[in-house]
Amino acid sequence: MAAKGGPLHAWHGHFEAKRVPEGVWMRCDGCGATLFRKQVEQNLSVCPECNHHMPLTAVERIRQLLDQDTFEDWFPDLQPADPLGFDDRRPYPERVRAEQARTGLNEAALVGQGFIKGRRIVFGITDSGFIMGSMGSVVGEKLTRAVEEATRQKLPLVIVSGSGGGARMHEGIYSLMQMAKVSTALGRFRGSGGLFISVLTHPTMGGVAASFASLGDIILAEPKALIGFAGPRVIEQTVRVQLPEGFQTSEFHLQHGFIDRIVHRRDLKSMIAQLIDYATP
């Protein structure tokens, strides 16, 4: 054994000095490859090995899709109430405050106006990082107001859905009502001749998938996104039928006509701009 201060100790000290800083590398959830984080970020958070589209926050999505510094946040002061006095592991107001501090968002949706390659649009997005992107009363109200503004200003509407939580149980029937409210506003928008482009990302589930996310004039999806109402185990137990493998992926939905096109993240901005040009005078 080498004495303290000998060659082995010197080599160990050199190794400690050269240790890679934490966070430089990351693992892909799709293929398990170890990736250089900066390279993944430059690739729009898509794995360069297997093309796995990693989740994005609402803010990251806005930076990728909208022209730089054009997003104008609408209704930022809307705050959820606690109509049921809901308390599971912690009181609902406390849970909301914790989520706000952790994500930097007031709620699971951002809406406003912005530009995509110079085209002015009304834009909305749900963030699965905030209570799984569940649709509470504030999310529904924000989206409804955004749709109404798109109707009033005669602007194209783009909503990016990334919600795995459906209706928010903490608000009970108030949450469920948002599905009908947003859908009704979209019906009026369509009646006025408006264009609604719905973009489905991983995951788009529950009440979001069962309402506004499925009502686009054009429905786009990212590759291998999970899209559906309930999880496969719940569906199998309900209908007692063996379901096909991958039946809730965007690829399966495209094959069966539920969505119009699967678009790689790097092409999404250009695709939306082209569709707006094709579909509006």
Side-chain angles (χ1 to χ4, degrees):
M1 181 179 294
K4 184 177 181 181
L8 181 61
H9 180 76
W11 179 86
H12 180 72
H14 176 76
F15 176 78
E16 288 290 331
K18 296 295 185 180
R19 180 168 290 175
V20 177
E22 186 177 353
V24 171
W25 298 94
M26 62 182 295
R27 187 173 297 278
C28 173
D29 293 333
C31 65
T34 300
L35 306 170
F36 187 39
R37 185 179 297 275
K38 187 172 182 180
Q39 182 185 10
V40 174
E41 292 172 352
Q42 291 172 344
N43 201 39
L44 304 180
S45 293
V46 176
C47 175
E49 300 292 332
C50 72
N51 204 37
H52 173 62
H53 283 50
M54 302 173 187
L56 294 174
T57 67
V59 173
E60 289 170 334
R61 184 75 64 175
I62 287 170
R63 288 181 185 144
Q64 287 188 10
L65 272 185
L66 299 185
D67 298 346
Q68 186 175 0
D69 299 327
T70 64
F71 180 66
E72 178 184 309
D73 187 12
W74 290 346
F75 324 118
D77 297 327
L78 288 179
Q79 296 280 348
D82 184 21
L84 306 182
F86 195 92
D87 189 352
D88 50 358
R89 287 180 295 175
R90 64 168 83 173
Y92 180 46
E94 182 182 321
R95 182 180 297 279
V96 168
R97 288 193 294 270
E99 291 291 286
Q100 290 172 336
R102 185 178 62 83
T103 64
L105 302 174
N106 275 350
E107 250 294 351
L110 288 174
V111 302
Q113 71 170 358
F115 287 80
I116 289 185
K117 291 186 173 289
R119 298 147 181 86
R120 188 158 74 100
I121 63 166
V122 172
F123 184 78
I125 181 168
T126 58
D127 191 324
S128 62
F130 193 108
I131 313 184
M132 284 304 296
S134 51
M135 187 164 55
S137 54
V138 170
V139 171
E141 182 66 17
K142 279 189 166 189
L143 291 170
T144 299
R145 292 189 188 185
V147 175
E148 291 172 344
E149 275 299 303
T151 305
R152 186 180 68 82
Q153 298 189 41
K154 301 186 184 303
L155 291 174
L157 172 68
V158 178
I159 299 179
V160 180
S161 301
S163 300
R168 188 174 300 173
M169 65 177 183
H170 309 78
E171 298 181 25
I173 190 65
Y174 295 95
S175 181
L176 288 170
M177 288 167 56
Q178 308 311 311
M179 297 171 62
K181 184 168 75 175
V182 180
S183 298
T184 300
L186 283 170
R188 291 192 292 265
F189 177 67
R190 176 173 291 176
S192 72
L195 170 67
F196 171 32
I197 299 174
S198 180
V199 181
L200 312 183
T201 70
H202 179 80
T204 300
M205 300 291 290
V208 170
S211 59
F212 66 87
S214 302
L215 296 176
D217 299 299
I218 302 168
I219 302 178
L220 309 177
E222 289 191 334
K224 297 182 181 178
L226 182 68
I227 303 163
F229 182 66
R233 186 179 304 172
V234 173
I235 297 174
E236 284 186 350
Q237 290 173 349
T238 302
V239 301
R240 301 185 186 280
V241 173
Q242 184 68 37
L243 300 167
E245 184 177 352
F247 79 102
Q248 290 183 315
T249 62
S250 48
E251 287 74 13
F252 185 91
H253 289 306
L254 177 64
Q255 183 181 354
H256 291 81
F258 182 76
I259 64 176
D260 296 300
R261 182 168 291 188
I262 295 173
V263 185
H264 191 286
R265 191 172 287 168
R266 66 170 174 264
D267 302 320
L268 191 55
K269 183 173 183 177
S270 295
M271 174 59 66
I272 293 173
Q274 290 174 19
L275 290 172
I276 291 172
D277 289 345
Y278 292 153
T280 56

